[in-house]
Amino acid sequence: MTQQRTAVIERKTNETDIKVSLELGSLDSAAEQVINIDTGIGFLDHMYHALAKHGKWSLTLSCKGDLHIDDHHTAEDTAIALGMAFKQALGEPRGIKRFGHAYCPLDEALSRAVVDVSGRPFAVVDLGLKRERIGMLSCEMIPHVLQSFITAAGLTVHVDVLRGDNDHHRAESAFKALAVALREAISRTGSNDIPSTKGVL
């Protein structure tokens, strides 16, 4: 029987109180997804929902943050908590593909994501957003959310928006591309091998 990949994270600071429950699916997973997200920032919820939906995750994420100040702490801290949950749920990266890549369009926008489950956090994120904010989420926070998630998850990831005129489309296509690339990278190979010449990741 295939072992489930799940994690529960609770992260509380003076700025945010976050609870995350995550189950990682797979390329061939037939399990029904359950996705419930409430950060208090509508567009951030929308991006996390896209990440979970296309990554085949079941995700429950709630955050009570200091939104009376601004969106920074809520956006950053939820990304950190989600990255921690991803790393914990994945466990030892044994018997997975390790690498994944995807191109995802959304109308006129097209994004590319390339993932290495390397254990070495490194993020290159180029979204080229021009608006000040989308809904109640500052556009400067959108790449920071991706960078914070990638770093906490211990991944090497390059995410680039290749074209697109609408910033909503550009951002959403980037999250979708990351989701699909992650889904490939963590898919099981059927072996028990650690996919590294070092023998450890």
Side-chain angles (χ1 to χ4, degrees):
M1 184 175 178
T2 302
Q3 185 177 356
Q4 287 189 318
R5 299 185 286 187
T6 62
V8 175
I9 295 288
E10 295 189 6
R11 187 177 189 272
K12 187 171 184 177
T13 70
N14 291 333
E15 299 160 344
T16 56
D17 185 356
I18 300 166
K19 295 178 177 63
V20 180
S21 176
L22 175 65
E23 180 178 349
L24 300 178
S26 63
L27 285 169
D28 57 355
S29 175
E32 182 179 350
Q33 289 176 274
V34 176
I35 303 172
N36 293 298
I37 299 166
D38 182 11
T39 66
I41 304 172
F43 191 72
L44 183 60
D45 292 355
H46 184 42
M47 294 300 95
Y48 285 148
H49 193 280
L51 188 63
K53 181 66 177 178
H54 298 286
K56 283 195 173 290
W57 306 347
S58 283
L59 173 64
T60 299
L61 188 159
S62 65
C63 176
K64 295 179 180 178
D66 56 358
L67 293 176
H68 62 285
I69 295 177
D70 69 3
D71 58 347
H72 185 102
H73 298 140
T74 293
E76 179 179 64
D77 289 4
T78 54
I80 292 170
L82 184 57
M84 291 168 60
F86 180 93
K87 186 174 184 178
Q88 180 177 308
L90 184 60
E92 185 181 26
R94 182 183 292 275
I96 63 169
K97 286 188 174 181
R98 175 178 169 178
F99 300 101
H101 72 280
Y103 291 83
C104 283
L106 178 53
D107 296 345
E108 88 297 344
L110 176 65
S111 293
R112 176 187 61 215
V114 184
V115 170
D116 178 6
V117 184
S118 63
R120 299 184 305 277
F122 196 87
V124 178
V125 180
D126 186 0
L127 307 185
L129 303 177
K130 298 176 182 177
R131 289 169 57 175
E132 181 177 350
R133 62 179 58 244
I134 303 175
M136 296 303 294
L137 182 61
S138 305
C139 280
E140 70 177 1
M141 288 307 299
I142 298 174
H144 188 59
V145 163
L146 291 171
Q147 291 159 355
S148 297
F149 166 77
I150 290 162
T151 299
L155 306 169
T156 296
V157 179
H158 294 249
V159 181
D160 297 277
V161 177
L162 303 178
R163 64 175 62 91
D165 301 317
N166 182 291
D167 277 356
H168 183 133
H169 292 173
R170 292 175 72 95
E172 187 171 346
S173 68
F175 274 79
K176 288 177 176 177
L178 176 59
V180 177
L182 284 170
R183 199 169 95 197
E184 180 184 13
I186 68 170
S187 63
R188 294 183 171 99
T189 62
S191 76
N192 196 40
D193 183 53
I194 292 179
S196 171
T197 56
K198 299 182 181 71
V200 65
L201 284 172

